Amino acid sequence: MSLKLPQAPNSGLFKQGYQSFSNADGAIVRNIEAVREISSILLTSMGPSGRNKIIVNKLGKKFITNDAATMLNELEIVHPVVKILIMASKQQEFEMGDNTNLVIILAGEFLNVAEKLLVLGLNVTEIIQGFNLANKFVMETLEKLVVDKVDSVLDIDQLIKAVKPVIAAKQYGYEDLISKLVVQAVKSIINPKNPKSFNIDNIRVVKIMGSSLSQSQVIKGMVFPREPEGSVKNITSKSKVVVFTCPIDISTTETKGTVLLHNAQEMLDFTKGEEQQLDQACKEISDSGVRVVIAGSNVGELSLHYFNKYGILVLRVPSKFDLRRLCQVCGATPLPRLGAPMPDEMGEIDIIETKEIGGDRVTIFRQDESISRTATIVIRGATQNNLDDIERAIDDGVNSIKGLLKDDRLLPGAGAVEIELMKRITAYGESTPGLLQLAIKNFAKAFEVIPRVLAETSGFDSTEMLSNLHAAHANDDGLSMGIDIDSGDLIDVTNNGIYDVLSTKKSAIALAVEATNTILSIDQIIMAKRAGGPVMPKQQRPGNWDQDD
């Protein structure tokens, strides 16, 4: 009788193709290694001297950026544990719009120290409890580390305090210019009676290649990088606007038919009925008082001829998002049918003008007594990649105001708050009895990664910088001592205007700790076989074909 060979564990439990990684196989350590990999990618891109990454996505589009949110969007990551971390980072992007890389970097560092504790023999539960206690202490301590606040979001100088450091982290050297553009745009749309109603969607960016960044400007209203279709290019007085989402053209029938024409007259009369019908529709639109038609779809040559005849400006807006925003600005209702609009379906606009910026013709919708305030930042630059990166910096600057409206308090930046937290958490850990003390003190060590990366990317000796920072923060009055990335010396960040927004920092730390604890509590990964059959190999052509063919 032959011996029965032992089968793989769980072979009869799951369908063929399943993969299972348990704690005994070192699942936690593997998860930490995967997170360390993504963390190390983003680590060097942090701060004003952060390095850029080139990412080529599956469509072949190239991205040259140091923005963490863009990188994570374009990288196709399949590891389930890293996806948990990316979810936390996306939540930070959605809520605060900034510090997305801080979430990943801190979580990576927390998991690194957790790995060392696991090797020492600590239980996962004890590490999670210690991290939760430390996180609670951090949230209370951050309130005590506030060094300044933004008294009024309507004051430009006050607003620049919060916006400038955020933009400097992305576009160092241009932060003065870009932050002025952002603050100017915010000032033009924010409601003085209710600043909390500020909506980041009301600030748009239009990128026009050519010239330099210094030629960028803020326009109150909406700017479309295209000119009107017809011969009417400008409207100088308040006018009625109608928005159509359907094609403005002769409607075609769904079925095909054959028409037999006997003479030339029949041929001339053939299209006359359709022309009269289109003329009638355009006349009805004109008679209702409309002077501007916005088309979400294509506009036929014949209908354009009739709109020119009645002196109506026609602009095509192919983007449904821009169309929706334009409806908000004008107070119009998008119509799916062609014909005269009802009075409540029309919107109003003050001025429409066509200008040439660089070599591009743009259409500007200005709204002085606006229904919905909108501002557009027109940015100029030499290359498309440069314009895209500036747009991301502007986006972060605008989003930082969202965090500021939740809480107007500011913390010291340039690594000062992290070193101070490290000092205070370590002292708190020493006063905690039991094994949790180890977890809390190691949690504190993770915060050292921020000033270390700032020093390394700026080209200075991180060991020397960190020892100087620790020495400065040992005194009670050293709270606002941070790193000067230009000289490598320590500076008082409050005198140099380098701040972090309190609400953004709190949110990033809380999300990083939550993601870390979730990852640590995973002891098994069970993965099904991916859907879809194997990819068929490319068929070789018979004969002596060249490789290029």
Side-chain angles (χ1 to χ4, degrees), residues 505-520:
K505 186 74 82 178
K506 276 174 87 169
S507 171
I509 295 169
L511 285 166
V513 174
E514 202 174 315
T516 304
N517 289 347
T518 306
I519 291 165
L520 283 174

Side-chain angles (χ1 to χ4, degrees), residues 354-481:
T354 306
K355 275 176 75 175
E356 192 166 324
I357 299 177
D360 295 16
R361 302 277 291 172
V362 298
T363 307
I364 299 168
F365 279 61
R366 289 189 197 277
Q367 195 76 308
D368 295 326
E369 301 164 15
S370 56
I371 294 155
S372 166
R373 297 158 183 252
T374 306
T376 304
I377 302 172
V378 178
I379 51 173
R380 311 294 311 278
T383 64
Q384 192 61 45
N385 277 316
N386 185 31
L387 289 173
D388 290 344
D389 225 22
I390 291 165
E391 184 185 9
R392 289 181 203 115
I394 288 171
D395 187 47
D396 279 5
V398 172
N399 272 296
S400 68
I401 293 162
K402 192 164 67 172
L404 204 64
L405 290 168
K406 290 181 182 178
D407 194 330
D408 60 359
R409 291 173 291 174
L410 302 171
L411 298 167
V417 75
E418 282 80 13
I419 291 289
E420 189 65 27
L421 278 175
M422 193 179 167
K423 181 185 95 174
R424 297 196 184 195
I425 299 165
T426 308
Y428 170 66
E430 283 169 357
S431 66
T432 309
L435 284 171
L436 296 183
Q437 180 179 129
L438 273 170
I440 293 169
K441 284 165 81 174
N442 276 277
F443 181 92
K445 281 182 190 171
F447 283 97
E448 205 173 57
V449 70
I450 310 297
R452 186 172 72 240
V453 171
L454 284 176
E456 282 173 2
T457 53
S458 305
F460 303 113
D461 182 359
S462 58
T463 314
E464 187 188 337
M465 288 286 262
L466 285 170
S467 60
N468 290 344
L469 267 174
H470 282 301
H473 281 260
N475 305 321
D476 290 335
D477 58 346
L479 165 64
S480 55
M481 296 306 286

Side-chain angles (χ1 to χ4, degrees), residues 176-302:
D176 287 322
L177 186 61
I178 298 172
S179 53
K180 274 179 189 164
L181 290 170
V182 170
V183 169
Q184 203 180 327
V186 170
K187 184 85 168 59
S188 67
I189 69 156
I190 208 159
N191 188 345
K193 292 172 187 169
N194 183 18
K196 283 195 168 25
S197 66
F198 169 73
N199 185 359
I200 55 166
D201 286 340
N202 288 351
I203 293 179
R204 296 182 69 249
V205 174
V206 169
K207 297 170 284 189
I208 297 175
M209 280 177 69
S211 193
S212 66
L213 187 60
S214 58
Q215 297 300 307
S216 302
Q217 57 180 307
V218 175
I219 293 172
K220 196 180 172 188
M222 282 187 83
V223 177
F224 296 96
R226 58 194 307 140
E227 62 177 328
E229 303 292 310
S231 57
V232 183
K233 304 288 185 191
N234 297 303
I235 300 279
T236 52
S237 58
K238 188 174 272 196
S239 310
K240 297 273 186 219
V241 180
V242 65
V243 178
F244 292 113
T245 55
C246 60
I248 305 174
D249 203 354
I250 295 166
S251 56
T252 54
T253 54
E254 289 180 13
T255 54
K256 288 183 179 179
T258 306
V259 179
L260 188 63
L261 301 170
H262 296 94
N263 52 42
Q265 190 57 43
E266 280 183 10
M267 194 172 181
L268 289 169
D269 294 341
F270 179 65
T271 56
K272 200 170 278 182
E274 283 183 333
E275 286 176 20
Q276 283 172 351
Q277 194 182 348
L278 199 59
D279 187 6
Q280 184 64 30
C282 293
K283 189 174 188 303
E284 280 174 11
I285 292 168
S286 175
D287 290 346
S288 63
V290 170
R291 286 288 161 266
V292 182
V293 168
I294 310 296
S297 193
N298 61 315
V299 183
E301 291 288 327
L302 192 61

Side-chain angles (χ1 to χ4, degrees), residues 487-502:
S487 65
D489 299 326
L490 297 188
I491 51 165
D492 188 330
V493 293
T494 51
N495 295 339
N496 289 269
I498 307 168
Y499 299 104
D500 287 337
V501 179
L502 173 67

